[in-house]
């Protein structure tokens, strides 16, 4: 069945959100009942197949979420390089405050909190036009930076 999914997913003719399905599979995978029946490798392959489909990955939010999903797999495997590669891809696609926060937490937990200001500099979020909302976002970014570099 996995081979069929890997063949058909990149050419699926309709747009749908695969993230919900992947999250459900990941929840099952993490349960004790699964007992490693579903491997990380399979989820990674399915996610890459989804990224190849222009109807699925054609929307920036969906593409960003697929990279966040991949990053979550690598976070659990404690693999910092592929985790950050996927978080950077997500930030390149959608530099949201949530994506910045996740990348900052990963860097901080890896002892690389001092890299967070450079990350925010390179991938600043899109600020809203509303000055009150913009100020709140600036304050949140300042808090993220302060917590990341705090010992």
């Amino acid at each position: 069945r996995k081979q069929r999914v890997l063949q058909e997913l990149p050419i699926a003719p309709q747009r749908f959100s695969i993230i919900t399905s992947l999250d459900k599979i990941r929840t099952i995978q993490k349960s004790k009942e699964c007992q490693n029946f579903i491997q990380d490798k399979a989820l990674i392959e399915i996610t890459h197949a989804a990224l190849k489909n222009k109807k699925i990955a054609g929307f920036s939010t969906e593409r960003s979420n697929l990279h966040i999903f991949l990053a979550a797999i690598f976070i659990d495997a404690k693999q910092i390089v592929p985790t950050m590669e996927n978080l950077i891809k997500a930030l390149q696609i959608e530099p949201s405050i949530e994506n910045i926060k996740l990348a900052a937490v990963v860097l901080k937990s890896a002892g690389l909190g001092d890299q967070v200001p450079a990350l925010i500099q390179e991938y600043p979020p899109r600020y809203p036009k509303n000055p009150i909302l913009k100020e709140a976002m600036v304050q949140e970014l300042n808090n993220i930076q302060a917590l990341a570099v705090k010992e």
Side-chain angles (χ1 to χ4, degrees):
R1 288 190 181 194
K2 182 184 90 171
Q3 280 310 116
R4 185 172 178 198
V5 169
L6 293 176
Q7 289 172 347
E8 293 182 14
L9 189 57
I11 57 172
Q14 289 182 295
R15 184 202 179 280
F16 57 93
S17 176
I18 191 165
I19 290 296
T20 305
S21 300
L22 287 171
D23 282 338
K24 287 179 183 177
I25 293 170
R26 185 90 169 124
T27 300
I28 293 167
Q29 179 200 34
K30 288 181 171 186
S31 72
K32 292 177 184 171
E33 292 81 29
C34 184
Q35 298 179 359
N36 288 330
F37 179 72
I38 303 166
Q39 300 292 315
D40 284 348
K41 182 181 178 198
L43 288 175
I44 292 166
E45 289 172 346
I46 292 168
T47 306
H48 282 289
L51 283 165
K52 290 178 185 172
N53 185 312
K54 291 182 186 350
K55 296 216 187 256
I56 296 170
F59 293 87
S60 61
T61 300
E62 191 73 14
R63 201 167 55 255
S64 175
N65 286 340
L66 287 167
H67 285 292
I68 295 295
F69 181 80
L70 287 169
I73 292 171
F74 292 117
I75 287 169
D76 289 346
K78 297 181 180 16
Q79 295 180 24
I80 186 71
V81 173
T83 296
M84 285 309 300
E85 287 172 351
N86 280 286
L87 290 174
I88 294 297
K89 286 177 185 175
L91 283 167
Q92 289 170 337
I93 297 163
E94 196 164 286
S96 68
I97 200 81
E98 293 82 13
N99 289 352
I100 292 168
K101 203 180 297 185
L102 181 56
V105 167
V106 168
L107 287 171
K108 172 76 172 174
S109 68
L112 301 168
D114 61 332
Q115 299 296 311
V116 172
L119 178 89
I120 293 171
Q121 183 79 28
E122 190 164 347
Y123 304 103
R126 292 184 196 108
Y127 292 105
K129 291 180 181 177
N130 180 310
I132 295 170
L133 294 177
K134 182 179 179 180
E135 181 56 38
M137 187 180 279
V138 168
Q139 186 59 45
E140 190 166 359
L141 277 178
N142 289 339
N143 290 342
I144 291 169
Q145 286 187 66
L147 289 172
V149 296
K150 185 178 180 182
E151 290 298 318

